[in-house]
């Protein structure tokens, strides 16, 4: 191989190596600050070391870390705000919800229960949170759901079914409920029945979307609530025969009327 050709091939190889390609390990990495080394500011690094060592930081110090993307600090700051709001009925819940969202989004799944508690307690989430923070809540729950949180997945399915607070999205709700098909909770069954009724339409013998209706009815029929289960089982019997319906096994041949 000539000297010029060798140099040309070496240059081409270096150019290829210089092009950034996504690494699988980085793709799977949690967002936000996960280690002290990721913080550029020396003051924030010192604060995080103290926090991780178990030292109690002031609210302002926790907020500084949280605003830098530290999920653990965000959780601690949200908890502080949450406790303050508990003693003040006029306190806004926007800030604690925002910081619980940061905590959940960055991998602190233990932030999901208090986040959901506060969101569910709002009469008008859109007005209290505004579009940006409301989107932050949705993104946090979606991220947590993708990591395998059944609680976040069920909450999203119910929210998308009811249309509050993220708007109605039956397709997403069905997908989430199908991922929880073995969950067997009352909330999942109730949400599935609502979606099934939309897919059935006014005439069960001529459903709007037979497959979607049957899949949701199967989830509803497996739930613990007797009324929901009875309604689902009766609707399944009224549905037209399909390959999916043929695989649906009901507990009794007699129609449930209770």
């Amino acid at each position: 191989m000539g000297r010029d050709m060798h140099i040309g091939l070496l240059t081409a190889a270096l150019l290829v190596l210089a092009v950034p390609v996504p690494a699988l390990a980085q793709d799977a990495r949690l967002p936000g600050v996960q280690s002290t080394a990721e913080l550029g500011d020396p003051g924030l690094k010192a604060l995080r070391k103290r926090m991780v060592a178990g030292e109690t930081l002031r609210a302002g110090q926790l907020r500084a870390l949280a605003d830098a993307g530290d999920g653990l600090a965000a959780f601690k700051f949200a908890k502080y705000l949450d406790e303050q709001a508990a003693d003040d009925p006029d306190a806004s819940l926007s800030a604690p919800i925002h910081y619980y969202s940061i905590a959940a989004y960055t991998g602190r799944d233990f932030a999901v229960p208090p986040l959901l508690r506060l969101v569910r307690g709002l009469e008008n989430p859109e007005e209290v949170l505004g579009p940006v923070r409301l989107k932050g809540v949705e993104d946090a729950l979606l991220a947590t759901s993708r990591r395998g949180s059944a609680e976040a997945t069920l909450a999203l399915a119910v929210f998308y079914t009811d249309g509050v607070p993220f708007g109605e999205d039956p397709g997403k709700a069905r997908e989430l409920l199908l991922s929880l098909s073995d969950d067997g909770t009352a909330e999942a069954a109730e949400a599935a029945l609502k979606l099934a009724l939309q897919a059935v339409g006014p005439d069960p013998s001529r459903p709007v979307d037979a497959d979607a209706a049957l899949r949701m009815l199967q989830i509803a029929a497996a739930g613990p609530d007797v009324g929901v289960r009875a309604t689902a089982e009766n609707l399944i019997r009224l549905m037209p025969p399909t390959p999916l319906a043929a695989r649906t096994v009901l507990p009794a041949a007699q129609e449930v009327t209770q």
Side-chain angles (χ1 to χ4, degrees):
M1 181 184 293
R3 180 174 179 276
D4 291 343
M5 181 177 291
H6 180 79
I7 292 173
L9 290 172
L10 180 59
T11 303
L14 289 172
L15 286 172
V16 170
L17 290 173
V19 176
V21 292
L24 291 177
Q26 290 179 342
D27 288 349
R29 183 185 171 280
L30 289 168
V33 174
Q34 302 298 327
S35 71
T36 303
E38 296 174 54
L39 290 165
D41 184 272
L44 291 179
K45 281 186 175 182
L47 286 176
R48 192 175 195 280
K49 286 179 180 178
R50 290 166 54 194
M51 177 184 70
V52 173
E55 186 175 333
T56 300
L57 301 185
R58 296 193 302 272
Q61 294 171 326
L62 288 173
R63 179 172 185 171
L65 282 171
D67 288 342
D70 189 296
L72 180 58
F75 177 79
K76 289 176 177 289
F77 185 51
K79 186 178 179 182
Y80 165 79
L81 294 172
D82 193 359
E83 290 170 351
Q84 294 290 109
D87 297 328
D88 183 2
D90 297 324
S92 172
L93 296 178
S94 178
I97 287 173
H98 170 62
Y99 286 100
Y100 277 136
S101 296
I102 293 175
Y105 184 77
T106 56
R108 272 65 186 186
D109 293 1
F110 47 78
V112 170
L115 173 61
L116 291 174
R117 169 176 53 80
L118 293 183
V119 171
R120 287 168 175 154
L122 296 177
E123 290 186 8
N124 193 334
E126 298 89 344
E127 182 179 318
V128 172
L129 298 175
V132 175
R133 288 190 171 180
L134 190 61
K135 183 65 166 60
V137 174
E138 184 178 15
D139 289 345
L141 292 175
L142 285 168
T144 314
S145 173
R146 285 191 291 268
R147 292 195 297 265
S149 168
E151 187 171 12
T153 302
L154 176 58
L156 282 167
V158 173
F159 288 154
Y160 288 140
T161 300
D162 294 340
V164 179
F166 308 128
E168 196 171 299
D169 195 329
K172 279 186 181 179
R174 282 196 297 270
E175 183 180 340
L176 290 163
L177 284 173
L178 285 172
S179 73
L180 288 173
S181 57
D182 296 328
D183 189 61
T185 65
E187 294 87 350
E190 289 170 6
L193 182 58
K194 289 181 183 178
L195 291 170
L197 292 172
Q198 294 175 17
V200 167
D203 185 357
S205 65
R206 301 176 63 184
V208 175
D209 187 337
D211 282 348
L214 281 167
R215 291 185 190 280
M216 291 299 101
L217 287 171
Q218 287 173 331
I219 295 174
D225 185 275
V226 174
V228 170
R229 190 167 65 243
T231 301
E233 291 169 356
N234 288 335
L235 282 171
I236 289 173
R237 293 188 177 90
L238 295 173
M239 297 281 287
T242 66
L244 180 59
R247 298 197 300 271
T248 302
V249 179
L250 295 177
Q254 184 177 358
E255 182 178 0
V256 180
T257 57
Q258 64 189 55

